[in-house]
Structure formats: C-alpha cells, structure tokens
Amino acid sequence: MIGKIYGTGSYVPSFVWDNDKLSEMVETSDEWIRERTGIARRHIIEGEEEDTTYMASRAACEALKDAGIQPEEIDLIIVATISAGEIMPSSACGVQKAIGAVNAVCFDLNAACTGFLFALNTAQAYLGQGIYKTAIVVGAESLSNLVNWTDRSTCILFGDGAGAVVLKASKDGKYSQVAYSDGRKGGVLTCSSRNQKKYEKESVDAETYMQMDGGEVFKFAVSKVPEVIRELLDKENLSTKEIAYYILHQANVRIVQSVAKRLGEKMEKFPVNMGEYGNTSSASIPILLDEINKKKGFRRGSYIVLSGFGGGLTYGASLLQW
Ligand code: ACO
C-alpha cells in the first residue's frame, strides 16, 4: 500500500517584490540576483489575514477540489513549515479548522527546505501501514518574516507561498524514499527566532534572523542531491532515462543545473520556477508539482523524482509514480 497523489494545489500572495525593489533596499542589482540565482521576483504576504496557515489552507482547499474529495474524508493533515505564525495551535490544526476536515489528525513538521519531502515520507508511512486512508501534506512558508531585509546575502533569495497534495491509500503505483540529516553541519543555515514583519520595524537583532553560509550550502546541495538521487534510483533498479521529471527544491537555478549535469540529464527534465517565487523552502516542491500538474499534466504511470535539501542539515529524494 502506498499514498497516491489524487490532487494538488498551491497559493502564493499577490503582492510581489521584484529585484529592482530589493535594489532600493540593499546594495544589489537585478543583474547580480538573476545571474547568481535565477530569481527575478518573490511573492510576499501582506496584511493581517495572509499568513502561513492562511496560505496552507488555500493550497489544501485547492488540492481537495482537484482530488474531488470531501474534507470530512481526510484522516491526516501534516504541514511542513519553519514559519508558522504561532507556536500553538499548529498550522495543521489551523488548516483543519479552515477547510472543515473534522476527522483529521493534524500536526506540523520542521525539516526546513526538506520539510515537504519528510512530511510526505511520514504520510506514506501512515498510509502504507493502513493506519490512515486519506491525507493532505502541505508545505507552507512566510519566510519574509524570518529574513533580515538589510542583509543582501540572504534577503534576495526567499519568498512566501504554499503547496499541497492529497494522498489516498492505493495498491497501485510506487513510492520510495531515501532521507538523511546531518546535525553536525547545522550551523551553516540557522534562524533562532520567529520574527514578525521585520521590514515594517525599526530595530534589528540581526543574529536572530536567517543566517547562511551561502558557499557551504551551495557545495552541500550540489554534492548531496545527485548522490541521494542516484542512491534512490539504484535502490529501485531504475535508470535516469526512465525518469520523466526531477522536481528539485527551488533554491538557486545554478544548483539545479549542476545537479542535472552531474546526473548526465538534460535541463528539460528539471522544471524551474524560482524566477517567479524565489526560494519558498518547504513550499517550493509542492508549488512546482502543482504548476506542472495543472499546466502540462503528468503522464499516468510516469516516474517522478522529488529532491530537497536545507537547514538541519537535511536532504533526501523520493520516487513516485503518477
Ligand atoms: N548583491 C550584490 N552583491 C552581492 C550580493 C547581492 N545580493 N550578495 C553577495 N554579494 C557579493 C559578495 O559580497 C561578494 O563580494 P566580494 O567578492 O567583494 O566579497 C560577491 O558578491 C560574491 O559573493 P558570493 O557569496 O561568493 O556569491 P555566490 O556566487 O556564491 O552567490 C549565493 C551567493 C547566491 C547565496 C550562493 O552562494 C547560493 O545560492 N548558495 C546557496 C544558497 C541556498 O541555496 N540557500 C538556501 C538553501 S536551503 C534553504 O532553502 C533554506
């Protein structure tokens, strides 16, 4: 038994900051950001209502509609996030309330940018064991609250948004995963406090916002992502030729290009959308999945590899059959 994807959904705020706007805030340029990262714009939450739980609920609602499933049928809701507005109740309980999934068990999961992947693995374990039949897995982030908007080395990278999938227990199809964590290297990507809307405030305690050794994260990603994808394909006796798409965490287009090259694959199999959204951490994989599902569609039975990496450090790859 595996959890098969029956529907996808996503939500991004309509308020947008492009690179030119950021170059008014810090010493940077559109050219530098595009060349080094592939990012042109990012969507940012606005106002009181639009927060992590709101975005997660909108994405979950859309995924439910896509799946043609009623909220009462949902047994499990997991929200992967590092930026829930409140410590409790969890964002997942907020989603439950917003969509009316009265029968669901709900909790949040923190694995930074690998969060969606680890949440998907968790849901697969429940569904695979026959404990639950129907689940929603969401990745949702308001990273604009965690970013120091005076630090040009990080603020250009991130954006807000949410993506979701609905899973149903099924005897058909395949799901397989490889996942790792390396707490020894946790110091290269940190955030010690949940700050709220720093760009609207005067005082800055820089240490508490997102801190990153960009070079180290880059090296970690380009070495570990191809390694973990190869391990997954070897485990399942599949060759790269048999994979229709690789949906990678959208952090930097140069990371995606390097992974494609190291796997000997063409970029056509590696869709990217960080140009529009920046790095939305745990939301990036499900947003991209939803975009492809809605725009092009996946061929039934095709193999798709998802791969994420991020704070912790954490990383992994999952294989699913559409
Ligand atoms: N605008 C202009 N110049 C800048 C900017 C900026 N926004 N940021 C840094 N610079 C300068 C630096 O000060 C440096 O100047 P110097 O040569 O005079 O010292 C120069 O540009 C080069 O800086 P590098 O840090 O070497 O630039 P690099 O090419 O490595 O790009 C980047 C930096 C984009 C952060 C890259 O290292 C990267 O993408 N790393 C991975 C980051 C990542 O993916 N993080 C998230 C993953 S996990 C997660 O999603 C939470």
Side-chain angles (χ1 to χ4, degrees):
M1 203 67 104
I2 59 129
K4 205 169 170 64
I5 295 181
Y6 271 65
T8 63
S10 61
Y11 175 88
V12 289
S14 53
F15 183 60
V16 169
W17 274 351
D18 63 12
N19 292 342
D20 288 333
K21 167 73 184 168
L22 293 200
S23 63
E24 291 165 14
M25 296 159 64
V26 290
E27 206 183 322
T28 190
S29 66
D30 178 49
E31 194 192 357
W32 194 97
I33 302 171
R34 277 177 198 266
E35 263 178 25
R36 302 287 178 120
T37 70
I39 297 165
R41 291 143 55 92
R42 67 282 298 142
H43 294 240
I44 307 277
I45 50 167
E46 207 186 12
E48 289 289 305
E49 189 189 21
E50 203 174 43
D51 63 5
T52 298
T53 301
Y54 176 84
M55 293 189 291
S57 304
R58 291 283 301 261
C61 202
E62 204 187 294
L64 270 183
K65 224 180 275 171
D66 189 37
I69 285 174
Q70 295 306 310
E72 298 80 12
E73 291 175 57
I74 300 297
D75 303 314
L76 172 70
I77 300 174
I78 309 177
V79 175
T81 186
I82 56 167
S83 52
E86 289 162 334
I87 290 164
M88 74 180 171
S90 68
S91 187
C93 283
V95 171
Q96 175 189 35
K97 182 176 158 190
I99 68 173
V102 289
N103 297 312
V105 166
C106 311
F107 58 90
D108 290 357
L109 183 151
N110 173 351
C113 304
T114 325
F116 177 77
L117 220 58
F118 284 14
L120 191 60
N121 292 344
T122 307
Q124 292 288 347
Y126 278 110
L127 268 52
Q129 289 294 312
I131 298 168
Y132 300 126
K133 288 194 176 67
T134 311
I136 300 182
V137 180
V138 188
E141 304 287 4
S142 310
L143 297 178
S144 60
N145 285 334
L146 307 184
V147 160
N148 177 357
W149 290 99
T150 62
D151 175 10
R152 71 175 183 175
S153 70
T154 52
C155 77
I156 56 147
L157 298 171
F158 300 101
D160 301 335
V165 298
V166 171
L167 301 170
K168 264 186 102 160
S170 163
K171 284 192 183 127
D172 303 330
K174 184 180 256 314
Y175 185 84
S176 179
Q177 55 94 13
V178 177
Y180 290 102
S181 300
D182 187 354
R184 292 167 304 179
K185 301 210 177 89
V188 303
L189 193 44
T190 62
C191 183
S192 65
S193 175
R194 285 173 209 241
N195 300 284
Q196 296 296 321
K197 285 267 183 272
K198 193 250 116 201
Y199 64 84
E200 287 173 358
K201 287 183 188 163
E202 286 299 310
S203 61
V204 182
D205 184 3
E207 298 292 293
T208 65
Y209 290 91
M210 196 96 83
Q211 307 270 309
M212 182 178 67
D213 182 336
E216 280 304 312
V217 176
F218 196 96
K219 275 191 272 172
F220 152 70
V222 299
S223 68
K224 290 299 179 189
V225 172
E227 201 176 291
V228 83
I229 291 175
R230 283 213 180 280
E231 186 183 338
L232 178 70
L233 297 185
D234 287 350
K235 184 177 157 190
E236 293 305 324
N237 261 322
L238 286 170
S239 74
T240 49
K241 284 196 189 74
E242 292 167 273
I243 305 304
Y245 284 111
Y246 299 85
I247 313 279
L248 266 49
H249 169 47
Q250 301 288 293
N252 185 321
V253 74
R254 291 189 294 135
I255 293 176
V256 180
Q257 287 163 344
S258 168
V259 172
K261 200 170 159 201
R262 284 173 195 229
L263 289 172
E265 287 278 63
K266 294 204 172 94
M267 267 304 277
E268 287 107 80
K269 284 190 180 182
F270 291 75
V272 291
N273 67 3
M274 79 283 280
E276 179 62 29
Y277 307 117
N279 175 348
T280 56
S281 190
S282 69
S284 81
I285 291 175
I287 290 175
L288 185 53
L289 203 58
D290 181 49
E291 226 171 66
I292 302 167
N293 185 28
K294 302 279 167 65
K295 281 187 190 156
K296 293 188 191 173
F298 293 104
R299 200 165 41 79
R300 211 178 148 74
S302 60
Y303 287 118
I304 297 155
V305 167
L306 313 179
S307 184
F309 56 92
L313 294 175
T314 53
Y315 59 104
S318 296
L319 174 82
L320 57 92
Q321 200 172 14
W322 198 257

